């Protein structure tokens, strides 16, 4: 099986970053898990542009960009 060149296991977050993660992560991951199940079971079709765009829009509405910024900042600190 193909393995990644690098695995990101641990990061330290500031108190503000931790607060942001705690606010965003539950809803973001809950939506992701629900959507993954819907795509896997055929409720939603990943090949359907409307379904996929709705998924992307809802991920963004649940804080995806903010979460990625927080994770990237923490990753950059360990590099």
């Amino acid at each position: 099986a193909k393995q990644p060149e690098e695995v990101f296991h641990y990061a330290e977050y500031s108190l503000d970053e931790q607060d942001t993660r705690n606010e965003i992560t539950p809803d973001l991951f809950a939506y992701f898990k629900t959507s993954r199940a819907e795509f896997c079971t055929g409720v939603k079709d990943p090949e359907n542009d409307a379904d996929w765009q709705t998924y992307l829009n809802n991920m963004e509405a649940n804080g995806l960009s903010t979460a990625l910024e927080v994770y990237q900042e923490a990753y950059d600190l360990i590099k």
Side-chain angles (χ1 to χ4, degrees):
K2 214 173 190 185
Q3 298 295 321
E5 290 179 22
E6 185 177 350
V7 178
F8 179 58
H9 289 289
Y10 179 76
E12 291 189 25
Y13 298 94
S14 69
L15 291 177
D16 287 340
E17 289 169 337
Q18 188 64 42
D19 288 345
T20 300
R21 280 187 67 221
N22 290 342
E23 289 174 22
I24 293 172
T25 301
D27 292 338
L28 184 63
F29 280 101
Y31 180 72
F32 168 75
K33 289 177 186 178
T34 299
S35 294
R36 180 178 56 189
E38 291 174 339
F39 283 124
C40 289
T41 59
V43 173
K44 293 181 182 176
D45 180 3
E47 299 295 323
N48 178 297
D49 289 342
D51 284 352
W52 188 250
Q53 192 59 53
T54 297
Y55 166 72
L56 294 177
N57 292 344
N58 287 334
M59 287 292 286
E60 188 58 40
N62 279 294
L64 178 62
S65 289
T66 302
L68 291 175
E69 286 175 20
V70 168
Y71 295 135
Q72 186 64 55
E73 288 173 13
Y75 178 76
D76 290 345
L77 288 176
I78 65 166
K79 289 303 284 181

